[in-house]
């Protein structure tokens, strides 16, 4: 708490307010990147010349970076004396006296995103099905975070801010469209009716033993 | 100040593992029920994993992981989107 009051003393209240709004905007961009990269990963797509594990690595690393940004965003918002939000409201949604609904949506996004992150860190212990079930919550967390930035952030009157925010929405809309397309093409069991990669070759008659070494490919 | 002479990299330079264990004590395993043929393992470990025509992994050398690929193998296990790749002591 002494560090907190020190921070308040060291900066004027306005600095904290700017820092909170700024980190919130950057956080929206980072979370959008994480969300879009996740959708892209599921679609098993990568731009030409990029390997998919690179996008997956970005998805994972940026999600951890988002935690750091989120800490900054939340702590500065709470410490800022200009509005009263309260520490409990960072964990329990809809407790903030200031903009109850819109701050609450941000808290909801923290809770949902926190569940997604925690289960991902424990993925190997949870198993695929449980991990995946919780991971779907990202589809609630991002919209909650977006609505929060739309209504709790007060900078949309600035042209470039609103361009960034709506750009994020457009990116997610595009990626979600692709996701729906992938899901409709690929319902559940991927291996049913799956086409082989490249051109279809007639299967060569292979001996049962030593097929690899005897193969003429 | 002189730098130590560079050690040539290649066969025989790998430090001996304790208890005289061979370097190939880890083996990759694919759970083919869980596997979806996403192919990240082959991107990360082309030395050990190739993909068949349907994109499903085929392990080279019976999945035995040489010591210098162990770190990458662990990464590949973590990277498998379906948790279908495992590493076990053989």
């Amino acid at each position: 708490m002494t560090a907190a009051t020190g921070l308040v003393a060291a900066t004027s209240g306005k600095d904290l307010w700017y820092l909170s709004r700024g980190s919130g905007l950057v956080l929206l961009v980072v979370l959008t990147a994480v969300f879009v990269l996740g959708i892209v990963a599921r679609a098993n797509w990568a731009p030409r010349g990029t390997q998919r594990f690179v996008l997956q690595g970005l998805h994972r690393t940026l999600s951890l970076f988002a935690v750091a940004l989120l800490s900054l965003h939340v702590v500065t918002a709470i410490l800022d004396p200009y509005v009263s939000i309260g520490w409990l409201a960072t964990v329990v949604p809809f407790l903030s006296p200031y903009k109850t609904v819109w701050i609450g949506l941000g808290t909801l996004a923290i809770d949902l995103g926190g569940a997604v992150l925690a289960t991902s860190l424990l993925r190997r212990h949870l198993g695929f099905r449980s991990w995946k079930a919780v991971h779907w919550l990202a589809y609630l967390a991002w919209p909650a975070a977006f609505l929060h930035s739309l209504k709790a952030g007060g900078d949309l009157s600035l042209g470039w801010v609103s361009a960034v925010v709506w750009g994020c929405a457009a990116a997610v809309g595009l990626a979600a469209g692709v996701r729906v397309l992938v899901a409709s093409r690929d319902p559940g069991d991927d291996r049913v009716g799956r086409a082989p990669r490249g051109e279809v070759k007639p299967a060569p008659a292979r001996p049962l033993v030593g097929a690899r070494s005897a193969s003429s490919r | 100040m002189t730098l130590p002479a560079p050690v040539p990299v290649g066969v025989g330079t790998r430090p001996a593992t304790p208890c005289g264990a061979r370097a190939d004590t880890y083996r990759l395993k694919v759970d083919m029920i869980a596997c979806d043929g996403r192919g990240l393992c082959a991107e990360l470990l082309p030395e050990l994993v190739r993909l068949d025509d349907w994109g499903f992994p085929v392990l080279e050398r019976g999945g035995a992981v040489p010591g210098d690929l162990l770190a990458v193998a662990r990464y590949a296990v973590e990277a498998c989107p379906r948790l279908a790749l495992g590493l076990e002591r053989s």
Side-chain angles (χ1 to χ4, degrees), chain B residues 6-26:
Chain B
V7 179
V9 178
V11 184
T13 58
R14 195 174 298 147
T17 38
C19 312
R22 283 168 58 240
D24 285 357
T25 48
Y26 284 92

Side-chain angles (χ1 to χ4, degrees), chain A residues 14-212:
Chain A
K14 248 189 170 155
D15 292 340
L16 287 172
W17 188 227
Y18 286 140
L19 205 53
S20 185
R21 281 150 68 186
S23 57
L25 187 63
V26 179
L27 183 59
L28 178 69
V29 174
V30 172
L31 286 177
T32 300
V34 171
F35 194 52
V36 168
L37 281 166
I39 293 172
V40 164
R42 180 56 191 91
N44 226 23
W45 177 86
R48 201 168 287 274
T50 310
Q51 291 187 297
R52 283 161 298 174
F53 73 85
V54 176
L55 298 187
Q56 183 204 48
L58 263 179
H59 173 67
R60 291 178 176 181
T61 314
L62 282 178
S63 69
L64 296 180
F65 178 51
V67 175
L69 270 175
L70 179 69
S71 313
L72 182 66
H73 176 59
V74 169
V75 169
T76 48
I78 299 297
L79 290 182
D80 173 39
Y82 185 65
V83 292
S84 55
I85 295 172
W87 288 105
L88 195 58
T90 62
V91 199
V92 185
F94 311 114
L95 281 189
S96 164
Y98 170 73
K99 293 193 179 178
T100 306
V101 173
W102 306 118
I103 297 288
L105 280 174
T107 309
L108 193 65
I110 292 178
D111 292 344
L112 295 170
V116 169
L117 180 76
T119 51
S120 288
L121 295 174
L122 298 170
R123 197 167 79 110
R124 193 147 283 279
H125 305 281
L126 289 171
F128 179 78
R129 279 172 171 274
S130 319
W131 165 79
K132 183 69 184 184
V134 178
H135 226 66
W136 281 106
L137 291 178
Y139 282 90
L140 294 176
W142 189 89
F146 179 74
L147 285 176
H148 165 79
S149 63
L150 211 57
K151 290 291 193 172
D155 299 310
L156 257 87
S157 49
L158 294 171
W160 68 271
V161 171
S162 112
V164 168
V165 169
W166 288 110
C168 286
V172 163
L174 189 71
V178 171
R179 177 74 181 90
V180 170
L181 212 75
V182 168
S184 62
R185 234 181 29 183
D186 169 22
D189 192 346
D190 282 359
R191 71 194 77 207
V192 176
R194 188 191 189 108
R197 298 175 303 148
E199 60 179 287
V200 183
K201 290 171 289 193
R206 283 177 170 180
L208 283 174
V209 190
R212 184 85 53 72

